[in-house]
Each structure stands twice: as structure tokens, then as C-alpha cells.
Amino acid sequence: MTDRIGDSYLEDDVALPFTDYHSADVDNLSDGFQIALSPSDTAKLLSTGSSLEDELRAVSLSGSRCSSCSSLTDALQLPSLDTLPPEIFYYICTFLESRFIANVLSTVCKRFHQLIRDETTWRIRVNSRWKQTYVLLPQSLYRYHWCQVYLQREEFHKLWNDESTNHFKLSDNYGGVDTVHIIDNKESILVAAGGRDRQLNIYDVNKLNVNYTNDENVRSSKVFNYGEYKGWIWCLSSRDNILCSGSWDKDIKIIDLNRYEVVNKISTKSAIIALHLAQDVLISGSFDKRVTLYDTRVYRQTMSFKQHTLPVLSIEYDGSYVISAGEDCRVCVWDIRAQKQLTRLTTDNYVMCMSMGYGQLWMGDLRGSVHLVDSSQGIFSKVTSGVAHDGKVTDIVHSLGGIATCSTDNSVKLWEPTSVGTPGSLIKEIKVSTRPATSLCMNVYHKVFAAGFSDTNVHIWKSE
């Protein structure tokens, strides 16, 4: 689900996870920036441990020219970065991290800002680095920000190919883990996990240490435990400082993450199998085949409808439409404003999980296939399908940077954002357990990935 990717991904066109160079205060940027170093100046920088990036960061914060270089440049009239042809400037940028280019270099001066904000340049950069066609939805009405596409793809690849990525295994459950969820709590990154031992545990990822044992990591990172459930914890969803949990005891519990306490409870008539918490609405899918909406101000029911003939397994929401997948092989789209069904898709095998965002709806089914639906502007038309796993696809999440799936074949797979199940589309396959993978979640901006398994373990990957 989209909300499992991190708070910045909750809505398609709301804040993206990186600094948006389009919104920079251009009027306050200087007209030019000059760097030219003589051998003596170069030696001076090296002797003080400074770097080009350090100098640029200082300039971007102060709004002035590089103190160690500008006077020399003015005196000798040497070429500078802001007088170079664009082609050479872009070539120099290929040696810098894209996040540094977008967040720091673009704020140095107006010319840098104009060159870096060019969407065509970022699109060319995407297509030259990754050869697969991007995007899969050529007729989609969704507007892609190509700088964000490149940043997220680079971060996604870095997470799985960087030696600085650390892997932690937390053994803190007595039963299988059925759901994991990553929460950006502003001050820290939290991973929540619940399952068949009826215990909800929340861990602070920043407190994990590669030199600690499992017990030491559990003790140091666990910030919350709640065990007053009477059924399996099956789904989690969050927004800002609120976490909602759904379980087989028919209750939805509302947890305040600032105080780490349960502040409300919604009692229903059936087991809660799917949840989605948005800005002003909480949506649940239940075993009694119903989809129910609640007002998050008072947590009271505002709408309930029954479109399925078998239990609802997954829920997605984009602000206008509620998408529900059921065990009856139906994927139903409900128009909130019109209060009626917009359309209905059918599949050969029922859909077990969905992830929605950026004009795309990805679905994983009972037989290991993954399907892509164009969800931009209420179109909801099937685009492509591919076989991803040998077992059931139990969870799927996606971003502009990549797609992650997990399965009862005991594996977690990372895919290019262009396709699933085709040659060259698999980035990495992870097998860290001999038991089925049940749930996964990722936060691309903070480079954190979590997966739950039925062997009672939670696995967390974090890149420094």
C-alpha cells in the first residue's frame, strides 16, 4: 500500500520526499558563482580538509561567493563554473550525487537553479543510466517530476547495492509476523510489527546497532509494546503521529505515537483485514465483505458499502476513489463523491495486495503474478502483467524508484519500476528465511526497508 512507503507518499501530488528545487527562493539567489583555484589555493583547501562540496554548501547557506577563491578569480579573470557551457556543467554534475545537485547546488545561484530545474535534462539522465523504457504508462495523464524519478531510482538502487547498508534481524515475537509498517515520526524512523502472538511492537530504527546482539538491539530499540489484543494483528496504517491497527478481534485501535498509548478504539462486527489511514478518513476492509469509512476527527462511521461476495483483502485510496480487492476475484473502485461504484476489474486469481501512487496501481495475486493498472484521472485500465513469484504474492509496495514484492515462496524481490517478471527487471532477490514472507514496507527517503516473516522474525535494512 502506498502509505507503507513513508509519510511523503500518502498522496500522489503532495510533498515528495526530497527538497523540491522548483520551490527555491530564486530572487534571493546570487546572479553568479565563481570558483577558480590556483595550485596554492588547491593546496590550502586540501590542507584544511575542505572539499568542493563543503565550499558549495557554505556558499548556498551564506548566499555569498566562495571566500577562498572569488578574489583570485576576479583578479585573474579565470573561467568559472557559472560561465562554463551547459554541456560541461552537466558533465561535471555526473560526478556528483543527485541529491546534492538538487538540494544544494541548485541553491548556489540563479544560473545553477535554471540549469538544474530543466526537466528534460533529468529525463535524459534517467534514460541514459537505466535502459528500460520509462514509464510503462505512455498515455497516463499523471505528470512525472523527472528530478524526483532520478533521485528515487538512485536511492532505491543504492539501498540494495551499497556496502553501507546494514541488515538487522529482530526476534521478538512468539508467533508469525503478519504485518510490518514504517513510520516517519519526524524525530525518528519507527518500524511497527504485529502478528499471531497478539503483540504490537514498535522499534526505533536509529537505535539499532550492527555491533549489538539480537537481544541488545531489541532492548535498545523497542519503544512501545501493546498486548491487549484478543486476535491476530493483521494490518497497520499511519499518518503523522497516529497509528491504526486492525485485528481478528474485530477492533481498530488508534495509537498516539507522541505519547505511545492507545487513545481510541473502534469496535466492529467482523475481523479487520485491511486498513488505510488518510488525511481525514480511515478506511477498513473486513471479513464480512464490507468497506467502511470513518471520520478521523471523531472516529465515527460515515459510510459503508458491500461490493464483494467474499472477504475484502486489501484497500487503497487516492482522495477520490476507494479501491478494494476481495477474495471473489474482484477489484472494485468506489467513487466517494458520487457514492457509487465507478468500475470493477476482474482477475483470474484473486488479488491479495495492492500499492497505489503516481498514477499507477500495482496488484499481486494468489498465483504469484503482478498486474499494473493505470489509475490516473480515474481511468483504471489494465496495462500489463508478469509472473513475479512461485507462490502467493503476499505484499507489494512501489515508488518512482522501484517495486518490492514478497511471497509464500520465502523470498523478497526488488524490481525496476518499469516492469515485473520480465528479463532484466529483477534488481535483487533476498532470501533470509525458510518460511513465507508475509509483509513489507519501505521508506526510500530515509533508505529503510522492513519485512516480516511467519518464522516470528522482522528483518530491517538501513543504509547509512
Side-chain angles (χ1 to χ4, degrees):
M1 296 189 300
T2 331
D3 67 321
R4 288 169 296 152
I5 304 177
D7 290 347
S8 298
Y9 295 85
L10 287 167
E11 308 290 347
D12 277 354
D13 296 312
V14 182
L16 287 166
F18 300 95
T19 299
D20 187 357
Y21 56 86
H22 292 282
S23 62
D25 190 355
V26 181
D27 292 336
N28 290 328
L29 296 177
S30 61
D31 291 325
F33 170 73
Q34 296 184 344
I35 274 190
L37 298 179
S38 67
S40 60
D41 286 317
T42 303
K44 179 182 177 182
L45 282 176
L46 292 175
S47 65
T48 58
S50 300
S51 66
L52 174 60
E53 291 195 2
D54 292 333
E55 290 289 334
L56 291 177
R57 289 183 192 278
V59 169
S60 68
L61 293 175
S62 65
S64 61
R65 294 184 178 184
C66 171
S67 59
S68 62
C69 314
S70 58
S71 60
L72 179 66
T73 304
D74 292 338
L76 301 181
Q77 297 183 345
L78 296 175
S80 61
L81 276 177
D82 67 332
T83 62
L84 290 175
E87 295 83 1
I88 297 179
F89 175 81
Y90 288 136
Y91 180 72
I92 292 173
C93 286
T94 62
F95 297 95
L96 302 174
E97 286 191 359
S98 57
R99 188 189 293 198
F100 172 80
I101 296 171
N103 294 355
V104 179
L105 194 59
S106 66
T107 65
V108 170
C109 66
K110 291 180 180 179
R111 185 167 188 264
F112 286 7
H113 182 81
Q114 292 168 354
L115 290 171
I116 291 171
R117 70 178 296 176
D118 185 0
E119 288 290 313
T120 302
T121 301
W122 287 104
R123 184 168 187 169
I124 292 171
R125 191 166 178 170
V126 168
N127 292 328
S128 63
R129 179 167 177 180
W130 295 284
K131 302 304 180 184
Q132 299 91 341
T133 301
Y134 195 97
V135 294
L136 282 175
L137 308 176
Q139 305 303 318
S140 172
L141 300 179
Y142 181 83
R143 180 176 176 269
Y144 287 90
H145 295 278
W146 288 98
C147 175
Q148 301 299 332
V149 170
Y150 189 92
L151 289 172
Q152 291 192 34
R153 291 194 75 170
E154 183 177 78
E155 295 291 351
F156 190 82
H157 277 260
K158 185 177 180 180
L159 177 61
W160 300 111
N161 296 297
D162 196 339
E163 294 181 356
S164 66
T165 298
N166 296 316
H167 173 215
F168 304 92
K169 183 177 78 170
L170 300 180
S171 300
D172 191 32
N173 300 80
Y174 300 103
V177 177
D178 288 315
T179 179
V180 295
H181 185 73
I182 295 176
I183 309 151
D184 186 350
N185 196 29
K186 304 301 185 260
E187 297 180 356
S188 56
I189 303 300
L190 306 176
V191 172
R196 307 200 176 196
D197 60 359
R198 306 176 186 182
Q199 300 283 323
L200 175 64
N201 296 311
I202 300 180
Y203 309 95
D204 186 338
V205 174
N206 295 331
K207 295 181 180 179
L208 295 173
N209 191 314
V210 291
N211 298 316
Y212 286 177
T213 64
N214 172 74
D215 291 342
E216 289 173 332
N217 267 323
V218 169
R219 284 196 302 269
S220 65
S221 65
K222 187 190 290 188
V223 294
F224 181 73
N225 170 264
Y226 186 78
E228 297 184 23
Y229 292 89
K230 297 179 181 178
W232 298 342
I233 305 170
W234 204 253
C235 50
L236 296 168
S237 184
S238 72
R239 186 176 181 91
D240 299 328
N241 65 318
I242 297 297
L243 173 68
C244 296
S245 66
S247 64
W248 284 82
D249 61 8
K250 306 177 185 178
D251 288 342
I252 301 172
K253 293 181 172 63
I254 317 300
I255 300 163
D256 187 327
L257 295 172
N258 288 335
R259 294 181 286 169
Y260 289 113
E261 64 177 277
V262 177
V263 295
N264 211 330
K265 181 178 74 170
I266 303 173
S267 297
T268 68
K269 298 179 180 179
S270 184
I272 304 299
I273 301 177
L275 283 177
H276 187 104
L277 179 61
Q279 177 68 41
D280 53 2
V281 63
L282 171 64
I283 309 168
S284 69
S286 52
F287 192 78
D288 64 359
K289 313 153 197 172
R290 286 193 170 276
V291 174
T292 306
L293 281 68
Y294 302 90
D295 186 332
T296 55
R297 293 170 294 183
V298 292
Y299 291 104
R300 290 182 182 174
Q301 179 178 318
T302 58
M303 188 185 306
S304 183
F305 45 89
K306 194 174 183 178
Q307 305 176 103
H308 297 275
T309 58
L310 288 172
V312 178
L313 302 179
S314 184
I315 291 286
E316 284 295 333
Y317 175 65
D318 70 349
S320 299
Y321 307 104
V322 175
I323 301 91
S324 59
E327 208 170 317
D328 54 2
C329 298
R330 297 177 182 174
V331 176
C332 300
V333 181
W334 183 270
D335 189 325
I336 293 293
R337 296 184 180 89
Q339 295 192 16
K340 66 178 183 180
Q341 183 174 285
L342 174 68
T343 188
R344 185 174 71 190
L345 307 175
T346 58
T347 55
D348 294 334
N349 304 293
Y350 64 77
V351 171
M352 299 185 65
C353 52
M354 297 187 294
S355 178
M356 187 175 184
Y358 315 110
Q360 307 170 18
L361 174 64
W362 290 90
M363 310 184 300
D365 72 21
L366 175 70
R367 299 297 181 189
S369 294
V370 170
H371 313 275
L372 173 62
V373 172
D374 184 351
S375 62
S376 63
Q377 303 296 315
I379 295 174
F380 294 101
S381 60
K382 292 183 182 179
V383 177
T384 185
S385 298
V387 177
H389 292 273
D390 295 329
K392 305 174 184 177
V393 179
T394 52
D395 210 350
I396 182 170
V397 292
H398 84 287
S399 69
L400 293 174
I403 306 161
T405 58
C406 65
S407 170
T408 55
D409 65 7
N410 312 337
S411 71
V412 174
K413 292 184 178 181
L414 298 313
W415 307 88
E416 296 285 357
T418 52
S419 61
V420 170
T422 59
S425 61
L426 181 63
I427 297 174
K428 190 170 186 177
E429 179 178 5
I430 301 172
K431 285 200 173 184
V432 292
S433 174
T434 57
R435 300 294 301 277
T438 56
S439 179
L440 52 81
C441 188
M442 67 178 175
N443 186 307
V444 179
Y445 177 56
H446 292 287
K447 294 176 281 189
V448 176
F449 187 93
F453 291 80
S454 61
D455 62 0
T456 76
N457 294 321
V458 175
H459 292 261
I460 299 173
W461 290 263
K462 183 179 185 296
S463 180
E464 297 298 333

